[in-house]
Amino acid sequence: MRRLVPLTEEETAYFISLMEYRSLKKFDKLVRYGEVCQHVCYISKGLIRYAHESDGKEYTHRFFKENEWVGNYVSFLDRTPSAYFLEALEDTDLLQVSYEKVQKAYDKFKVFERFGRRMAETLFTDLVQRTTDAARKSPELRYIELEHRDPELLARVPLKYIASMLGIEPGSLSRIRKRIQK
Amino acid sequence: MRRLVPLTEEETAYFISLMEYRSLKKFDKLVRYGEVCQHVCYISKGLIRYAHESDGKEYTHRFFKENEWVGNYVSFLDRTPSAYFLEALEDTDLLQVSYEKVQKAYDKFKVFERFGRRMAETLFTDLVQRTTDAARKSPELRYIELEHRDPELLARVPLKYIASMLGIEPGSLSRIRKRIQK
């Protein structure tokens, strides 16, 4: 959190007191499709896939790993059923804060309002970047950029999910990878 | 603003003192491609198109009209060149607030932090909704929903821009409109 806002010891201790520990086994769902997302979660260890299913096919959109916040923030904010599911791809440890406790934190200290603002701003700018990239860049370029930005993620995630995130078939991704290796 | 947060007279007066009046003629740019967006603007009258150009072709993404906030918020927040342009489709009157003044407002009153948070949250949830719709709904269904939600907008915007926003050619949109009329 201190990357987004400076926190005093008191503010830090208060926020930590709001958090609950939760662990997921590989393939456990953090949020099910159709369920209201009740928590924002900080991943201390592990990997989460954010995806949806349509006509019997899964579409993967992104991944969240250790030291990142995760949840379906739209469902969390609007208290509406999640149009996506979130699934652990590895055994995962989280610290979660409920919707009600987040609202209390906003009321108690101004710094959490700023944190919440920066969090929402970051989510918004990231999503614009990703939709802009998806519209303007080829799957090959997006794969190369991902490999450059986060090679470790590629080693941890089954390639079928990477292909899905790039909007291509696994066979196309294999051909892209072979071309790059040459 | 009072739809997002309750404001006292003092807070309201302070925020109004930060605002400057600006007017645009039809086809004037509010933000040019490649320019850093310096203001968030409240539209008191008029209509703005948010679009980008690629390979000599324009792609329209959305519209902003009276009683809405407008700007390239990514460029505004990150102080980066705008990857989009914003153009008046009608003579437009705005009240604008500069980046520096927005930061001052955040420091001065907690309520503006909350306003900024709710603004970013709304932008985020709206964008998720629009990208989800674009991925899962047909152009025809999206057109029908738009007609239902905002028939007046359809009367004000040239159809080529509506077609572009739906990701289809103007001819396809004409056929959709004829089918619906039957």
Side-chain angles (χ1 to χ4, degrees):
Chain A
M1 289 178 79
R2 287 181 169 141
R3 273 183 297 181
L4 287 182
V5 289
L7 291 180
T8 64
E9 288 301 311
E10 185 195 1
E11 289 156 354
T12 307
Y14 173 74
F15 200 79
I16 289 172
S17 78
L18 303 181
M19 298 180 115
E20 297 167 298
Y21 172 76
R22 178 170 171 191
S23 78
L24 299 172
K25 290 281 166 207
K26 187 173 176 175
F27 301 133
D28 279 354
K29 297 279 194 293
L30 174 63
V31 179
R32 285 182 180 74
Y33 172 84
E35 170 189 43
V36 175
C37 177
Q38 301 292 354
H39 301 89
V40 283
C41 306
Y42 186 80
I43 306 176
S44 48
K45 179 178 88 70
L47 185 62
I48 302 279
R49 179 168 74 102
Y50 180 93
H52 83 278
E53 202 213 280
S54 177
D55 298 329
K57 206 180 157 193
E58 285 189 1
Y59 298 85
T60 296
H61 301 278
R62 60 175 301 190
F63 306 95
F64 298 88
K65 55 178 192 165
E66 51 281 341
N67 305 322
E68 291 180 341
W69 291 89
V70 65
N72 180 338
Y73 210 50
V74 171
S75 167
F76 178 84
L77 291 171
D78 295 346
R79 319 307 294 142
T80 50
S82 178
Y84 298 84
F85 65 85
L86 285 88
E87 176 187 77
L89 289 184
E90 301 171 358
D91 291 353
T92 296
D93 293 336
L94 306 153
L95 292 167
Q96 66 179 23
V97 190
S98 72
Y99 181 82
E100 290 72 24
K101 287 183 177 170
V102 169
Q103 308 316 309
K104 277 188 194 158
Y106 288 149
D107 288 338
K108 194 166 170 80
F109 292 109
K110 175 174 169 165
V111 71
F112 294 122
E113 284 287 354
R114 182 160 290 190
F115 175 73
R117 173 170 67 79
R118 298 228 165 118
M119 171 89 103
E121 288 172 357
T122 303
L123 283 165
F124 175 68
T125 55
D126 283 358
L127 181 57
V128 170
Q129 190 60 56
R130 278 182 291 123
T131 53
T132 304
D133 283 358
R136 300 192 201 177
K137 292 178 180 170
S138 67
E140 177 154 349
L141 177 56
R142 287 162 63 214
Y143 179 79
I144 291 168
E145 289 182 349
L146 176 62
E147 199 177 36
H148 183 77
R149 191 170 64 241
D150 199 348
E152 189 235 352
L153 184 73
L154 290 180
R156 288 165 69 182
V157 173
L159 284 178
K160 63 179 177 181
Y161 297 141
I162 300 287
S164 175
M165 183 174 70
L166 296 170
I168 57 179
E169 294 299 320
S172 306
L173 179 56
S174 297
R175 284 190 291 281
I176 287 173
R177 285 162 56 92
K178 274 181 201 140
R179 256 202 313 276
I180 295 168
Q181 276 163 5
K182 284 182 196 158
Chain B
M1 291 178 75
R2 288 184 169 139
R3 271 181 298 178
L4 287 182
V5 289
L7 290 179
T8 65
E9 287 304 311
E10 186 195 2
E11 290 155 353
T12 306
Y14 173 74
F15 200 80
I16 288 170
S17 78
L18 302 182
M19 298 181 114
E20 297 167 300
Y21 172 76
R22 178 171 172 191
S23 77
L24 300 172
K25 291 279 167 211
K26 188 174 176 174
F27 301 133
D28 279 355
K29 296 281 194 291
L30 174 64
V31 179
R32 284 182 180 74
Y33 172 83
E35 170 189 42
V36 175
C37 177
Q38 300 294 354
H39 302 89
V40 284
C41 305
Y42 186 81
I43 306 175
S44 48
K45 178 177 88 74
L47 184 62
I48 304 278
R49 178 169 74 102
Y50 180 93
H52 84 278
E53 202 213 279
S54 176
D55 299 329
K57 205 178 159 195
E58 285 188 359
Y59 298 85
T60 296
H61 301 278
R62 59 177 300 185
F63 307 95
F64 298 89
K65 56 179 192 167
E66 52 282 340
N67 305 322
E68 291 181 339
W69 292 89
V70 67
N72 179 338
Y73 209 50
V74 172
S75 167
F76 177 84
L77 291 172
D78 294 347
R79 319 307 294 140
T80 50
S82 178
Y84 297 83
F85 65 85
L86 285 89
E87 178 187 76
L89 289 185
E90 300 171 358
D91 291 352
T92 296
D93 293 337
L94 306 155
L95 291 167
Q96 65 179 23
V97 190
S98 71
Y99 181 82
E100 290 72 23
K101 287 183 177 168
V102 169
Q103 307 316 308
K104 277 188 194 157
Y106 287 150
D107 288 339
K108 196 167 168 78
F109 292 109
K110 174 174 170 163
V111 72
F112 295 122
E113 285 286 355
R114 182 161 291 189
F115 176 73
R117 172 170 68 80
R118 298 230 165 115
M119 171 90 100
E121 288 172 354
T122 303
L123 283 166
F124 175 68
T125 54
D126 283 358
L127 181 57
V128 169
Q129 189 61 57
R130 278 184 289 122
T131 53
T132 303
D133 283 359
R136 302 192 199 177
K137 291 178 180 172
S138 68
E140 177 155 347
L141 177 56
R142 286 162 63 215
Y143 178 80
I144 292 168
E145 288 182 347
L146 176 62
E147 199 178 36
H148 184 77
R149 192 170 62 242
D150 198 348
E152 188 235 353
L153 183 74
L154 290 179
R156 289 165 70 181
V157 173
L159 284 180
K160 63 180 177 181
Y161 298 142
I162 300 287
S164 175
M165 183 174 69
L166 297 171
I168 58 179
E169 295 299 322
S172 305
L173 179 56
S174 296
R175 284 189 292 279
I176 286 173
R177 285 161 56 91
K178 272 181 204 141
R179 255 202 312 275
I180 293 169
Q181 277 163 4
K182 282 180 199 163

